[in-house]
Amino acid sequence: MKEKAKILTMAFAGLLLLAMFLPQQTMAQKGNQSQIVEKIINLPDLQQFYPVVPGDNAKQVTIVQFPVAVPSDISAPGKTIVLTDRENLQRSATNGYFMFRSIEVNQNTAKVVGHYFYNYNSATNKSEIIAITADLQKTGSEWMIVNANVKGVE
């Protein structure tokens, strides 16, 4: 009986430690994901496609929270970041938006796959699309793009 109580106590202590560790790990992952998305938003080849916010010099960057939801603390100098869902996107007159297909983050590497949609034509119900893939490397606390491919989809 004492052995069983000892095992249960150890299991409970292990669960408590795990519960304390998981929120920290999740916060670290969100921080990494924020930095990674910011690097993608700032890719030089994409800057020309961002619409300018009326009455402001900032460029608007809209991110659809599907299929990958990104953290809400994303920021980029000279840009207004708007996070939306698919339902709100359809109701708004958004001139361009990101949809991240996957963001795979390991300890020191990350891979991003996404698309940027722009120039929506309501007559044809089509947009022009840019495919984005990027590999990133983490050095210290900073993520750097080591390879990026930004190209139009036909």
Side-chain angles (χ1 to χ4, degrees), residues 46 113-116 129-133 149-153:
L46 294 173
V113 176
H115 292 93
Y116 185 74
I129 306 169
I130 299 172
I132 304 150
T133 57
N149 189 1
V150 177
K151 65 179 180 178
V153 175

Side-chain angles (χ1 to χ4, degrees), residues 3-15:
E3 189 66 29
K4 197 174 190 180
K6 186 176 180 181
I7 291 171
L8 286 174
T9 302
M10 289 177 57
F12 183 70
L15 287 174

Side-chain angles (χ1 to χ4, degrees), residues 44 121 145:
N121 183 330
I145 293 177

